[in-house]
Amino acid sequence: VAWRAMATEAQALPAAVRADRRALAAIAAGHMSSDLCQGAVPALLPYLISDRGLSYARATALLLALTVSSSVIQPLLGHASDRMQGAWLMPAGVLVGGAGIALAGVTDSYAATLAVVIVGGIGVAAFHPEGARYVPLVAGSGASTGMGLYSVGGNAGFVVGPAVVTAGVAVFGLRGTLLVAVIPAFSALLLWSVRPRLVAAAVAKAASPMTGAEEADDWPAFTLLSAMVVARTAVGYGLLGFVPIWFVRHLDSSTGAGNAALTLLLAAGAAGTLVGGRLADRYGARPVVIGGMAALFPLVALLPLAGEPGAFVLCAAIGAALDANFGITVVLAQRLLPSRPGAASGIVLGFAFGLGGAAA
């Protein structure tokens, strides 16, 4: 897939184009706020089980509803965003996502809780394709670097979400989930304030001489790229569940050691996303994509054979290799479907991720 996808790499913007850092930071902050909402729900489930007596089945159904509404429908919303060309979808999506998840702790029935979680998931889904579509427009010549920053913003959101829920519930009880809406509200205001910059970037892109020279949508190569994302995601989700248990049951380590290895895996992945994007902008995406994916096989194969010290080292290397091409694949997806960047982003960020999780 890398050999075919890289045929479109010549469409990258010239090096003289500067990034709009303020707009890029606003989109990354929006991604953090959006994924904060997703990270908040798993952290909320134990409190709903203990305080409201929810069964495990009902609690899991909330998580399933969030996954379907926030990920699986992303391609549809991405297709809609391609038609509407609306930068307003980003602040609106973040605001709706934050409000929906924030209300999960104050609803008075399970049906109402399920409904607000679905609404929050739809808000999350509305943000992602549009955010990914605008990143290359404001990132100048560093599209992959910009997408790396966008991705790391999402990683940060998954970390912040559980922290906000835990602090809010500890102080205010279940009504403390209202605090979940605070950071998304500020992010929505920030995104709205840079909306003129985003619109101007879209207009400049449409007026660019390169726009008319874009190739037709390459669906076969895009399908292969999406399959690679599914495979990478399956490996990632598998490791998220496998690593802590492996440390405890097979390496005779503590639960803390297992969680520390998982944290190292995620932190190295965030660093790999940033480094991979910068390397792709400087040396081309092909070596980063091929190198990262090729390195996964020996690294993962060695993990069950390693002792505890070696397992920590391997977790860091696996995390970096796993996510080195994360932002790059989104950029490539948009270049392979130049007439449908929102739908392309929705597929590789939402639908393909959902399939990867199911495969894991």
Side-chain angles (χ1 to χ4, degrees):
V1 65
W3 291 103
R4 297 191 62 188
M6 288 315 101
T8 62
E9 198 170 349
Q11 297 174 14
L13 294 172
V17 179
R18 291 178 176 270
D20 185 338
R21 295 184 178 180
R22 179 179 173 185
L24 187 58
I27 298 174
H31 196 194
M32 182 199 73
S33 299
S34 179
D35 284 0
L36 179 155
C37 299
Q38 294 193 84
V41 173
L44 178 61
L45 295 184
Y47 297 108
L48 293 176
I49 291 172
S50 62
D51 289 18
R52 294 185 179 175
L54 291 187
S55 66
Y56 289 136
R58 284 195 161 195
T60 305
L62 292 176
L63 197 57
L64 175 62
L66 175 70
T67 302
V68 172
S69 60
S70 66
S71 298
V72 177
I73 67 171
Q74 278 193 39
L76 297 177
L77 293 174
H79 177 70
S81 73
D82 287 331
R83 292 179 175 272
M84 291 185 292
Q85 300 285 314
W88 61 270
L89 277 172
M90 284 186 284
V94 169
L95 198 61
V96 171
I101 304 305
L103 291 173
V106 300
T107 51
D108 55 4
S109 69
Y110 178 77
T113 303
L114 183 64
V116 296
V117 167
I118 291 174
V119 169
I122 292 173
V124 170
F127 169 83
H128 278 83
E130 196 72 355
R133 187 168 73 86
Y134 272 94
V135 167
L137 300 182
V138 299
S141 58
S144 295
T145 300
M147 199 63 73
L149 292 170
Y150 172 81
S151 302
V152 170
N155 293 343
F158 276 107
V159 174
V160 174
V164 172
V165 168
T166 301
V169 174
V171 177
F172 302 106
L174 276 179
R175 293 186 178 276
T177 59
L178 292 173
L179 292 177
V180 170
V182 174
I183 294 177
F186 280 108
S187 293
L189 289 174
L190 181 60
L191 284 164
W192 187 261
S193 72
V194 300
R195 183 171 170 269
R197 292 170 176 258
L198 301 174
V199 173
V203 171
K205 172 64 175 179
S208 171
M210 296 180 65
T211 302
E214 286 177 338
E215 297 180 359
D217 294 341
D218 189 344
W219 282 100
F222 177 79
T223 301
L224 290 173
L225 181 70
S226 299
M228 188 192 79
V229 173
V230 172
R232 182 191 66 197
T233 306
V235 172
Y237 275 123
L239 288 170
L240 289 180
F242 164 82
V243 166
I245 299 171
W246 180 263
F247 265 74
V248 173
R249 297 191 62 181
H250 294 274
L251 297 180
D252 294 325
S253 299
S254 65
T255 302
N259 288 335
L262 184 60
T263 301
L264 181 62
L265 180 78
L266 295 171
T273 300
L274 292 174
V275 174
R278 187 168 292 276
L279 290 175
D281 287 329
R282 178 169 296 185
Y283 301 110
R286 179 183 297 156
V288 180
V289 172
I290 294 177
M293 293 299 288
L296 278 178
F297 178 79
L299 291 172
V300 175
L302 286 172
L303 185 58
L305 306 177
E308 184 173 335
F312 274 104
V313 174
L314 285 170
C315 282
I318 290 170
L322 191 66
D323 288 346
N325 58 31
F326 186 96
I328 304 170
T329 52
V330 181
V331 175
L332 291 179
Q334 294 176 350
R335 291 178 184 170
L336 289 170
L337 298 186
S339 69
R340 298 174 176 85
S345 303
I347 291 172
V348 297
L349 286 174
F351 187 69
F353 261 67
L355 287 181

